[in-house]
Amino acid sequence: MPTPTARPKSRKPLVFGTVVVLAAGLLGFVSYRATAPDTPSSGTSAVGTAAEEDAGAHPELAELARRDAADKLAQGRTDAPVVLIEYADFKCGYCGKFARDTEPELVEKYVQDGTLRIEWRNFPIFGKESEAAARASWAAGQQGRFWEFHRAAYADGAKEKGFGEDRLRALAHEAGVEDLDRFARDTESTAATDAVARDQEQAYGIGATSTPSFLINGRPVAGAQPLSVFTRAIEAAAADAAPVGNAGEDAEGTR
């Protein structure tokens, strides 16, 4: 498994109490097992199921959901009973697998009927190109094209082409970003760097060690697990969820 890049120097641990420390430890362990190169696919599924059944849902982790209608890197109703937070890296092959094979089915089945909200967190751990792609995704989001950029960056064979400056601009064009000069400025802006650092620190703070890592209403799930793992977790969370206010607004970028 590639060695993650150094954590931000300003990183401060998130402290939610003993129960979350234990959950974070489990997420870190399962995250490693689920994405380790020598882990067989059958073992990956078993580990994911263990995370789902043993970790349980933790209210402190569930509170990390932003439910912000202005969040450009989210899709689904702000008052959805279930929020799936994904911590991912555009250079991560497992993240691409989830994006292509599983996420579209979750969107069709649960986001579109108002059950699920998906909130993205940039978690670049595989070097400078990962960080550049994360900033670029944020920049695309400023023009309402995050999910289109996400889809282009995770297309089959996309990561093998790298995420250099010209390639990121090409992906933005493919995603329909209208002002490419603004996109380039936003990608290199302090605001982009700070936004990515906040997401990255949150991921480290809950004990994530590799990508993708997920929270489903505070329940840790790690790795590109089979669709059934996510459907079970989402349906269990929906059954347990209390009504969430009356916000009722859709985030921009719902596909």
Side-chain angles (χ1 to χ4, degrees):
M1 180 171 59
T3 301
T5 55
R7 301 180 186 183
K9 292 181 180 179
S10 62
R11 182 177 63 87
K12 297 178 181 179
L14 301 178
V15 180
F16 298 116
T18 304
V19 67
V20 178
V21 170
L22 294 173
L26 176 62
L27 179 57
F29 171 73
V30 175
S31 182
Y32 170 76
R33 287 285 308 277
T35 58
D38 58 352
T39 302
S41 58
S42 59
T44 298
S45 177
V47 170
T49 301
E52 176 191 345
E53 294 177 353
D54 297 341
H58 300 283
E60 297 89 343
L61 295 180
E63 289 174 5
L64 295 176
R66 293 169 182 160
R67 295 186 179 275
D68 181 357
D71 187 350
K72 306 292 188 181
L73 279 60
Q75 59 178 317
R77 297 175 64 92
T78 57
D79 63 347
V82 183
V83 178
L84 181 154
I85 303 174
E86 178 184 4
Y87 301 90
D89 185 319
F90 285 102
K91 285 182 68 68
C92 163
Y94 291 98
C95 301
K97 178 176 176 58
F98 173 79
R100 292 187 301 272
D101 298 346
T102 304
E103 188 174 41
E105 295 198 44
L106 298 180
V107 170
E108 181 177 357
K109 186 172 184 179
Y110 298 112
V111 174
Q112 292 181 2
D113 76 357
T115 299
L116 179 67
R117 175 175 174 83
I118 298 176
E119 296 187 355
W120 171 272
R121 304 288 190 269
N122 274 303
F123 187 26
I125 59 174
F126 297 139
K128 291 184 178 179
E129 283 200 352
S130 289
E131 294 167 359
R135 294 194 307 272
S137 74
W138 181 90
Q142 301 317 292
Q143 298 187 52
R145 307 302 288 180
F146 169 79
W147 291 105
E148 291 78 6
F149 182 93
H150 171 279
R151 184 164 52 246
Y154 277 137
D156 264 327
K159 80 180 183 71
E160 284 74 21
K161 297 178 181 179
F163 293 113
E165 182 178 348
D166 291 344
R167 176 63 180 151
L168 291 172
R169 189 179 182 93
L171 288 170
H173 180 268
E174 181 180 343
V177 174
E178 185 173 348
D179 187 339
L180 292 177
D181 290 336
R182 176 191 168 189
F183 165 81
R185 292 193 302 272
D186 285 347
T187 296
E188 298 304 321
S189 68
T190 299
T193 299
D194 290 347
V196 171
R198 284 193 297 272
D199 286 356
Q200 192 175 42
E201 288 195 12
Q202 186 180 100
Y204 283 129
I206 65 169
T209 59
S210 57
T211 53
S213 292
F214 305 89
L215 295 176
I216 301 175
N217 277 16
R219 182 189 299 274
V221 175
Q225 303 299 328
L227 177 64
S228 60
V229 170
F230 290 95
T231 58
R232 284 198 302 271
I234 291 166
E235 290 176 8
D240 292 342
V244 182
N246 59 0
E249 296 182 50
D250 293 337
E252 291 186 20
T254 299
R255 289 174 291 178

